[in-house]
Amino acid sequence: MSAPPGLARRSGRHTSPPLRRIFDRPAHPYTRGLLASIPRLDNVRKSRLATIEGLVPSLHEMPKGCRFENRCPLATEVCRQRQPALEEVEPGHLVACFHWKEHP
Ligand code: SF4
């Protein structure tokens, strides 16, 4: 079964909106972390690159809740207990995160 147009599956529940929106309006905390870790030519040596703490879980030991909970700075108890459902950020842009609205 293939994914609907505009929806690519990655890491189980992480989806990809049209590419431009990832850069303009990243909604998922992990996407924000990845974007913050990209070196910028206009900021060379002015600040340290952001890092994402923790390790990617083993496929045999996936967390019960959100797949990112052990590396996410926004994780709460609900993240450890349940997997977030996909929510629409805007047409064609979906996110699976309990707290994406709290950190625009
Ligand atoms: S659901 Fe929770 S742990 Fe998962 S990405 Fe969102 S805030 Fe982080």
Side-chain angles (χ1 to χ4, degrees):
M1 185 157 93
S2 63
L7 177 67
R9 305 198 89 202
R10 261 207 262 151
S11 303
R13 301 186 50 91
H14 194 171
T15 62
S16 296
L19 185 58
R20 187 73 232 166
R21 290 187 201 149
I22 292 176
F23 293 98
D24 291 344
R25 192 175 178 205
H28 197 278
Y30 199 76
T31 306
R32 293 179 193 156
L34 290 174
L35 290 174
S37 70
I38 297 173
R40 296 184 53 103
L41 292 175
D42 61 349
N43 194 25
V44 177
R45 295 186 182 163
K46 289 182 184 167
S47 62
R48 295 181 65 91
L49 287 176
T51 59
I52 298 173
E53 301 295 328
L55 298 171
V56 176
S58 159
L59 290 175
H60 301 291
E61 298 177 279
M62 280 292 175
K64 172 181 164 186
C66 176
R67 302 292 196 244
F68 300 92
E69 61 89 4
N70 68 339
R71 290 166 290 151
C72 180
L74 308 180
T76 61
E77 190 57 31
V78 68
C79 305
R80 289 180 259 285
Q81 296 302 319
R82 296 189 292 130
Q83 291 188 18
L86 285 172
E87 293 181 46
E88 188 173 70
V89 176
E90 57 190 322
H93 185 177
L94 303 175
V95 65
C97 174
F98 290 112
H99 303 298
W100 73 271
K101 290 180 186 168
E102 301 161 26
H103 303 276

